[in-house]
Amino acid sequence: PYRVAILGATGAVGQELLELLESRNFPLADLKLLASARSAGQKISFKGESLAVEAVDDKSFDGIDIVLASAGGSTSKAMAPKAVEAGAVVIDNSSAFRMNPEVPLVVPEVNPEAASEHKGIIANPNCTTILMAVAVYPLHKVKKIRRIIAATYQSASGAGAKAMAEVQTQASAILSGQQPVASIFPYPLAFNLFPHNTPLNEMGYCEEEMKMVNETRKIFGTQEIRVSATCVRVPVLRAHSEAINLEFDEPFDKDEARKILSSAPGVKLVDDWQGNYFPMPIDATGRDEVLVGRIRQDISHNCGLELWLCGDQIRKGAALNAVQIAELLVE
Ligand code: HSE
């Protein structure tokens, strides 16, 4: 059994991590809950016991085997090296180390072997990238994907629990004829959407979009795959959706793609043309699998496929992926 610490235990991802360690019966010798000094002292129940959250400091990692870090990038940057020095392996959910060539970037359904090459830190990819990778890699294995164009529909919870609450408050205000207040987002999100996150780079891409480009290449182990994305924030509360256009070197039959995806790890095919039922974020919420459907040929060229996916970005897009990486380490 392993001595595990969760850094960022009081956040939304931290809460999912706790639930998954319990429900997946992770071999735990000990569990330490760490957070910022502001959240220290909170009590969290785990397997019927009440555990106190401790403020993280330089000594927090003594005797710890695995750190599941779900704090912000600056906390990870400061704390991960200390944890590694203390002998722990850090599975980090922030973007701090993802593109570091010494740090494996792992989606267990895609590149599990990369996890064993770590030098103390393993990075958990960006949520939107994980969901897309799980859905398209099974096709890439059969016929190489030349190009991916993605449009995402990202829920408010991707910007944190307070953002979710803000959308609900805005919706109530609007429905009762009042002016909605925006503090987390720059404008009201209720009954609206944002076509981009800020800041935009000199080419007009935001960070989330560039993560999809760069992280997909690293996870798939090829710089040849071309990716472009438009990441949109929508007033869905939880679970992200993505419209994906794929271009291959040769034609890929939609029925073959459907068959491959029907048994792909981490995927649930939801592609009911007769029942007119396809993936929706409300159905992906709280689920482990990425729901994939609307699989069709691209009518604009004969080597293209289109699909639609929904996945819980806090679960498979963050916490579950991290716990699966931890499971690879203890196998
Ligand atoms: N960057 C994502 C979003 C959250 O803003 O929706 C991913 O964890």
Side-chain angles (χ1 to χ4, degrees), residues 3-233:
R3 294 161 298 180
V4 173
I6 296 181
L7 176 58
T10 54
V13 176
Q15 294 297 298
E16 283 296 313
L17 286 169
L18 280 156
E19 197 282 311
L20 287 161
L21 290 176
E22 182 164 355
S23 63
R24 293 170 75 92
N25 232 344
F26 190 86
L28 283 176
D30 189 29
L31 180 63
K32 196 173 201 176
L33 304 183
L34 301 168
S36 63
R38 194 163 29 92
S39 303
Q42 284 187 34
K43 294 275 191 327
I44 291 183
S45 108
F46 181 75
K47 291 190 176 175
E49 267 182 67
S50 170
L51 302 181
V53 178
E54 299 171 34
V56 62
D57 64 31
D58 291 6
K59 297 266 169 295
S60 297
F61 307 103
D62 291 348
I64 296 292
D65 301 310
I66 297 173
V67 179
L68 296 167
S70 62
S74 55
T75 307
S76 281
K77 260 197 189 123
M79 288 300 159
K82 295 186 197 306
V84 174
E85 213 171 286
V89 178
V90 180
I91 301 168
D92 183 46
N93 197 46
S94 81
S95 58
F97 304 103
R98 287 182 190 148
M99 295 313 294
N100 180 330
E102 298 216 321
V103 174
L105 185 63
V106 179
V107 176
E109 289 84 350
V110 177
N111 60 341
E113 67 291 341
S116 59
E117 290 157 20
H118 73 81
K119 296 190 168 74
I121 301 176
I122 302 174
N124 211 33
N126 160 262
C127 55
T128 324
T129 309
I130 293 177
L131 302 177
M132 182 170 81
V134 169
V136 307
Y137 186 71
L139 304 175
H140 179 74
K141 263 204 318 198
V142 177
K143 290 182 186 173
K144 268 207 183 114
I145 297 172
R146 180 205 287 242
R147 181 173 182 223
I148 304 176
I149 299 176
T152 73
Y153 305 76
Q154 299 185 216
S155 60
S157 53
K162 285 194 186 129
M164 264 170 112
E166 180 164 297
V167 178
Q168 287 165 292
T169 311
Q170 289 169 350
S172 309
I174 293 168
L175 289 172
S176 58
Q178 286 157 5
Q179 205 54 29
V181 177
S183 63
I184 310 264
F185 295 119
Y187 307 99
L189 183 60
F191 307 114
N192 193 18
L193 59 76
F194 303 144
H196 69 290
N197 277 321
T198 47
L200 298 178
N201 69 13
E202 67 287 352
M203 292 180 303
Y205 282 76
C206 66
E207 278 179 5
E208 187 84 354
E209 291 160 353
M210 290 314 295
K211 286 174 188 173
M212 293 184 79
V213 174
N214 296 322
E215 294 182 21
T216 303
R217 288 176 166 172
K218 182 166 174 180
I219 297 160
F220 282 25
T222 171
Q223 290 302 310
E224 279 173 26
I225 192 162
R226 287 182 278 152
V227 182
S228 183
T230 302
C231 292
V232 177
R233 181 76 68 199

